[in-house]
Amino acid sequence: MGYEDLRGFVKALEKAGELKRVKAEVDPVLEITEVVQRAQRQPGPTGNAGGTALLFEKPKGSRYPVLINAFGSVRRMELAFEVGRLEDVADRIRGFLAMESPQGLFDKMKMLPKLMELGSFFPRLVKEGACQEIVRKGSDVNLLDFPIMKCWPQDGGRFITFPLVFTKNPETGKRNVGMYRMQVYDERTTGMHWQTQKHGAEHFRRARAANPEGRIPVSVAIGADPATSLAGMLPIPPDLDEMMFAGFLRREPVELVKCQTNDLEVPANAEIVLEGYVNLHEMRTEGPFGDHTGFYSLEGEYPVFHVECVTQRKDPIYLATVVGPPPQEDFYMGHAVERVFLPVMKMQYPEIADVALPAEGIFHNLMIVAIRKSYPGHARKIMNAIWSLGQAMFTKVIVVVDHDVDVHNYREVVWKALCALDPQRDVQFSLGPVDTLDHAARMQDFGSKMGVDATRKWKLEGFDRPWPDEILMDAASKARVDALWKSLGL
Ligand SMILES: Cc1cc2nc3c(=O)[nH]c(=O)nc-3n(C[C@H](O)[C@H](O)[C@H](O)COP(=O)(O)O)c2cc1C
Ligand SMILES: [Mn+2]
């Protein structure tokens, strides 16, 4: 049912008019970025924002094509998840979560098909996979064979921008898959930019605590079927296997093969796999990198990935993305995450009516939340809830509005939120973990957040003045003018 692999998705995109092939030679050093910047600002096939996916068939200096902007519109994210609306994925998750607490036998019976569905999403180990059609080891390994991009002028080098980084928790053996960019230092060495709060970094720390002189196996897959490719960026809990979740998204288990040189398993349908290890005592300067904030993230010290083996298809497609001034491709990926995980948030906090993450808020800078307020201080409770909810903890500014404000209409939000505000009373500061990419924080990874209570204020909250109604015309007058309208000659 699901896409078999990345090239299956390429075919589907092409059929839907969502992909253009670039036959001319274009340099992965800066030129591809500039072409993408222009192409994604052109209207796509349905007049949509985000242009089309691009397949660069002749990247300069490599035999392999580059696929980019494959997920860079709402429609392409819907195609990736094989749904008509992103909310369809949310609906499936809602059904899936509802079965956690079946009440009686009748409910359990009802849930049975769903439970069976869940069971069938566990990844399946297979003997061989297309990702191992060619195997290169040791000195035959050369990352520079691939069309790895240098994205922006001040970047510290070429970066692998769409990797699935596989590690195992050294204590529990549980798998994690994260999307962490990798700076290419030479033919067989890269950086490993897992930020300190991410699961890969946690695996690294636990292994280092046990044996500081040791190493951990790491494998990296580049390009797989769309759900699997996207699984690395999903903000899911540490012990939920991203490959299981990918199986749920594609409605078919992910097939994994054992790596050639370490004990990790990777998607059998991947285009390219890098196998190797990270030394627990070795750090190296990583960056700068033109980031999704629209600014360069500064140099920092990160672990180093040593590639011992490359396995690949005979004719791999190199999957990449470019981040930069918003909106870029990652905005659409993040938007899908926002839509898909809203029911999970609502499940935990039913008072949440809707949530919006404007592109210019680059995910962690701004969240607008609408709530059904039902007790004094409710808006503050929701701020604290969000600051303790997975990666939403990074949110620098939270604006809480009443449920009748359309959070996706930023004009309405600015108008109504500012009207509802007495700044000294309604703004709350808090300290906690902040996104590593926040260059304004006084320290890396630790800083302040701001919550804005832009809901109507209540007597029970100490507000003694009457709160005015919003101006709306009455229905009878509207009906009379409807009847008159033609005769007015306007
Ligand atoms: C295009 C793109 C690039 C990303 N690069 C990084 C990165 O370099 N380092 C990082 O820690 N997170 C990065 N992320 C975010 C992580 O993929 C995301 O937080 C994910 O949930 C991490 O997985 P984990 O929760 O299993 O650690 C990136 C996300 C996207 C969409
Ligand atoms: Mn994870």
Side-chain angles (χ1 to χ4, degrees):
M1 256 207 306
Y3 297 105
E4 213 162 285
D5 46 26
L6 187 64
R7 54 202 61 207
F9 186 49
V10 165
K11 267 195 211 124
L13 288 174
E14 201 157 28
K15 204 168 140 212
E18 290 281 353
L19 180 133
K20 286 183 184 156
R21 291 174 183 268
V22 179
K23 303 209 180 283
E25 184 177 86
V26 183
D27 198 333
V29 175
L30 303 180
E31 285 180 8
I32 288 186
T33 299
E34 180 59 16
V35 173
V36 171
Q37 295 313 297
R38 296 183 194 194
Q40 73 179 356
R41 302 286 185 253
Q42 292 172 346
T46 56
N48 59 280
T52 62
L54 297 173
L55 189 68
F56 289 88
E57 294 187 339
K58 260 173 69 182
K60 192 172 172 184
S62 177
R63 295 193 292 123
Y64 309 126
V66 177
L67 176 65
I68 196 161
N69 210 26
F71 305 102
S73 75
V74 175
R75 179 80 191 111
R76 291 201 288 286
M77 283 303 301
E78 289 164 352
L79 285 170
F81 292 147
E82 298 171 275
V83 291
R85 302 151 50 249
L86 292 171
E87 282 72 17
D88 296 346
V89 186
D91 289 343
R92 283 187 65 221
I93 293 187
R94 200 177 298 123
F96 176 71
L97 289 174
M99 74 201 182
E100 293 255 290
S101 53
Q103 297 301 313
L105 188 63
F106 179 67
D107 288 308
K108 280 197 180 109
M109 298 274 284
K110 257 193 338 198
M111 292 307 172
L112 209 57
K114 287 213 164 132
L115 285 167
M116 279 164 55
E117 208 190 17
L118 169 63
S120 66
F121 296 137
F122 280 108
R124 199 159 50 208
L125 194 63
V126 294
K127 285 240 147 45
E128 41 189 58
C131 72
Q132 296 180 340
E133 282 172 358
I134 295 178
V135 177
R136 289 197 186 85
K137 290 183 185 164
S139 57
D140 287 340
V141 169
N142 188 356
L143 296 177
L144 307 178
D145 287 343
F146 300 107
I148 299 171
M149 294 164 62
K150 176 180 177 182
C151 297
W152 296 101
Q154 292 178 36
D155 282 3
R158 297 182 191 244
F159 284 79
I160 299 172
T161 53
F162 218 130
L164 295 171
V165 178
F166 286 72
T167 52
K168 276 192 176 159
N169 183 321
E171 289 161 14
T172 64
K174 285 202 169 156
R175 170 177 29 245
N176 189 70
V177 187
M179 192 193 256
Y180 318 119
R181 72 172 187 235
M182 295 158 53
Q183 177 172 359
V184 175
Y185 295 127
D186 58 45
E187 292 85 344
R188 284 181 283 281
T189 326
T190 79
M192 186 49 74
H193 188 258
W194 45 46
Q195 293 157 1
T196 192
Q197 314 89 348
K198 306 299 172 74
H199 302 149
E202 184 60 18
H203 291 184
F204 175 85
R205 274 191 297 271
R206 290 196 187 186
R208 193 179 52 187
N211 176 15
E213 293 310 309
R215 49 167 77 168
I216 48 166
V218 176
S219 289
V220 174
I222 304 169
D225 65 275
T228 303
S229 299
L230 291 164
M233 59 145 221
L234 299 175
I236 58 176
D239 284 338
L240 183 49
D241 180 7
E242 280 87 357
M243 290 299 101
M244 219 268 280
F245 207 89
F248 166 77
L249 288 171
R250 67 199 293 264
R251 304 178 191 85
E252 199 183 328
V254 176
E255 294 192 338
L256 299 172
V257 280
K258 203 151 209 78
C259 285
Q260 296 280 324
T261 59
N262 64 29
D263 274 345
L264 297 162
E265 293 118 28
V266 287
N269 69 12
E271 299 290 318
I272 301 162
V273 175
L274 317 178
E275 304 179 4
Y277 62 91
V278 164
N279 283 325
L280 300 171
H281 54 271
E282 184 185 13
M283 303 290 267
R284 183 165 169 177
T285 304
E286 199 265 7
F289 178 69
D291 227 311
H292 82 109
T293 57
F295 295 88
Y296 286 96
S297 47
L298 306 173
E299 290 183 346
E301 295 299 304
Y302 282 87
V304 180
F305 176 49
H306 297 274
V307 186
E308 294 181 299
C309 174
V310 170
T311 76
Q312 61 171 77
R313 290 167 179 259
K314 288 192 199 93
D315 54 350
I317 299 172
Y318 176 77
L319 178 64
T321 185
V322 59
V323 295
Q328 304 278 343
E329 183 175 4
D330 65 312
F331 166 68
Y332 297 96
M333 301 188 215
H335 174 72
V337 167
E338 172 207 304
R339 290 292 97 194
V340 165
F341 286 107
L342 182 59
V344 183
M345 265 175 106
K346 282 191 182 176
M347 203 105 174
Q348 220 158 342
Y349 303 106
E351 62 267 54
I352 293 180
D354 206 353
V355 166
L357 297 166
E360 292 73 16
I362 54 170
F363 308 120
H364 64 262
N365 278 350
L366 177 61
M367 183 185 292
I368 307 165
V369 190
I371 62 163
R372 266 175 206 283
K373 176 164 157 178
S374 47
Y375 46 78
H378 205 157
R380 314 258 175 167
K381 179 256 191 164
I382 278 298
M383 294 169 196
N384 289 304
I386 289 164
W387 285 325
S388 48
L389 195 70
Q391 292 183 38
M393 69 178 168
F394 297 129
T395 311
K396 179 140 77 172
V397 177
I398 299 173
V399 179
V400 186
V401 294
D402 284 308
H403 63 90
D404 55 354
V405 177
D406 176 4
V407 294
H408 303 288
N409 181 345
Y410 307 142
R411 293 185 172 185
E412 184 180 341
V413 172
V414 168
W415 161 41
K416 290 185 176 170
L418 292 172
C419 281
L421 213 59
D422 174 350
Q424 192 180 25
R425 180 195 60 202
D426 294 333
V427 172
Q428 163 172 340
F429 296 105
S430 184
L431 283 171
V434 300
D435 195 295
T436 304
L437 303 184
D438 187 334
H439 54 256
R442 283 153 283 184
M443 294 169 68
Q444 183 174 303
D445 299 321
F446 179 50
S448 71
K449 301 117 188 272
M450 180 172 89
V452 179
D453 175 359
T455 59
R456 290 177 185 79
K457 301 306 167 322
W458 292 3
K459 277 218 163 40
L460 292 168
E461 293 176 317
F463 185 75
D464 269 333
R465 301 172 64 203
W467 197 272
D469 286 336
E470 182 184 339
I471 301 171
L472 291 169
M473 186 49 71
D474 66 283
S477 306
K478 281 192 169 183
R480 282 199 307 280
V481 171
D482 280 346
L484 274 177
W485 187 251
K486 279 223 172 96
S487 72
L488 298 180
L490 293 172

